[in-house]
Amino acid sequence: MARKKIIAGNWKMNKTPSEAVALANELKALVDTDEVDVVFCVPAIDIIPVVDAVKGTKISVGAENLYFEESGAYTGEISPNMLVDAGVKYVIIGHSERREYFAETDETVNKKILKALEHNITPIICCGESLTQRKQGVYIDWIRMQIKIAFQNVTADQAKTCVIAYEPIWAIGTGETATADQAEEVCLAIRECIKEVYDEATADAIRIQYGGSMNAGNAKELLAKPDIDGGLIGGASLKPDFKDIVFPN
Ligand code: 13P
């Protein structure tokens, strides 16, 4: 089955609202396409102006986080309804930076995924191993555990709509990319894990991205692999080069 590629920028904690609008305006001229799904995942405060900036294009806007409650006394958090009302279609969940600096666990990741799905926001579910785990040879086991907990109580029909991002922590922001073979090995293992948990149709439908120092130079080789359906891009999503990941040549 042909899966449509999905290229998402993760702007992380970069760009003020006015800078975000300027970047969205610059990029939208370059990456407005039907061929692949293009998503700008932006800081919460930038969501409303960026949704406005990309109106009339095929580009979607994503959030970088959400909270798993509907409303109430959760100072500083953002509910799924707030994101939906602002025009958000995707949300990054369980990025390694959130796990490391904000104490997110596999269990909170699972709660956030269920909440996003309940509100028809597509979760981009991050997983990935540390350098130590890779060196010790336990990376596949580790990622299978992350995936199995992330998908608890998610139905097969819901799982088919999800996006998984494999992001080896040692490759994030370091300039060191996983080789295309290393990335494919893990993306295939993730798909096999989904097949075990659900079935072949679900494994065939779910889209799996690679993330970690992906750029204009290495995108083509990574995206050519059969189990890599897109990219989650940090640094290179803040530059016009982003178009060379959307349209690798
Ligand atoms: P870099 O592309 O900057 O390595 O970041 C990857 C990432 O963390 C995307 O979520």
Side-chain angles (χ1 to χ4, degrees):
M1 195 186 99
R3 291 177 291 269
K4 191 172 186 187
K5 293 254 195 283
I6 174 165
I7 305 293
N10 175 6
W11 292 10
K12 305 195 178 182
M13 197 175 75
N14 295 296
K15 306 298 173 188
T16 64
S18 53
E19 290 167 350
V21 168
L23 179 61
N25 282 332
E26 183 182 10
L27 293 180
K28 77 177 179 187
L30 304 172
V31 298
D32 184 18
T33 179
D34 262 338
E35 288 166 39
V36 295
D37 289 332
V38 177
V39 187
F40 297 163
C41 296
V42 306
I45 198 166
D46 297 342
I47 289 171
I48 289 174
V50 171
V51 166
D52 195 46
V54 302
K55 213 163 258 163
T57 73
K58 295 171 193 79
I59 298 161
S60 300
V61 176
E64 299 179 13
N65 186 28
L66 92 174
Y67 197 54
F68 52 73
E69 296 291 350
E70 293 294 336
S71 65
Y74 303 102
T75 302
E77 292 299 314
I78 296 182
S79 76
N81 274 330
M82 293 173 190
L83 296 181
V84 170
D85 191 54
V88 161
K89 304 289 182 211
Y90 294 84
V91 60
I92 298 173
I93 294 178
H95 192 282
S96 60
E97 288 150 15
R98 293 215 54 89
R99 294 175 192 255
E100 181 177 354
Y101 305 128
F102 304 99
E104 292 206 2
T105 64
D106 289 325
E107 286 72 23
T108 58
V109 166
N110 174 242
K111 286 185 181 178
K112 290 180 177 196
I113 292 166
L114 291 168
K115 197 43 94 173
L117 289 166
E118 192 185 316
H119 289 268
N120 293 316
I121 307 172
T122 300
I124 299 177
I125 303 157
C126 299
C127 61
E129 82 284 3
S130 66
L131 189 56
T132 306
Q133 289 166 330
R134 175 154 285 262
K135 285 188 174 155
Q136 290 174 337
V138 298
Y139 55 102
I140 301 273
D141 293 336
W142 175 259
I143 289 160
R144 283 172 54 85
M145 182 194 70
Q146 288 185 317
I147 294 294
K148 287 189 175 180
I149 300 174
F151 280 87
Q152 271 176 17
N153 299 318
V154 175
T155 68
D157 282 344
Q158 287 176 324
K160 286 187 179 98
T161 70
C162 292
V163 177
I164 298 173
Y166 167 53
E167 299 207 306
I169 297 167
W170 48 271
I172 295 177
T174 58
E176 185 175 348
T177 324
T179 65
D181 286 340
Q182 285 174 322
E184 168 63 17
E185 181 198 21
V186 178
C187 291
L188 173 62
I190 292 170
R191 203 175 301 287
E192 281 171 350
C193 182
I194 293 292
K195 186 170 154 188
E196 278 171 42
V197 173
Y198 298 100
D199 49 44
E200 190 151 359
T202 308
D204 270 353
I206 201 163
R207 294 188 290 180
I208 305 174
Q209 299 172 313
Y210 169 77
S213 299
M214 196 163 172
N215 58 41
N218 57 32
K220 189 172 184 184
E221 196 185 351
L222 286 159
L223 294 170
K225 290 293 180 184
D227 291 289
I228 302 180
D229 306 313
L232 184 57
I233 294 102
S237 72
L238 301 170
K239 300 185 282 191
D241 298 20
F242 185 61
K243 79 161 188 325
D244 297 318
I245 305 173
V246 175
F247 305 111
N249 49 50

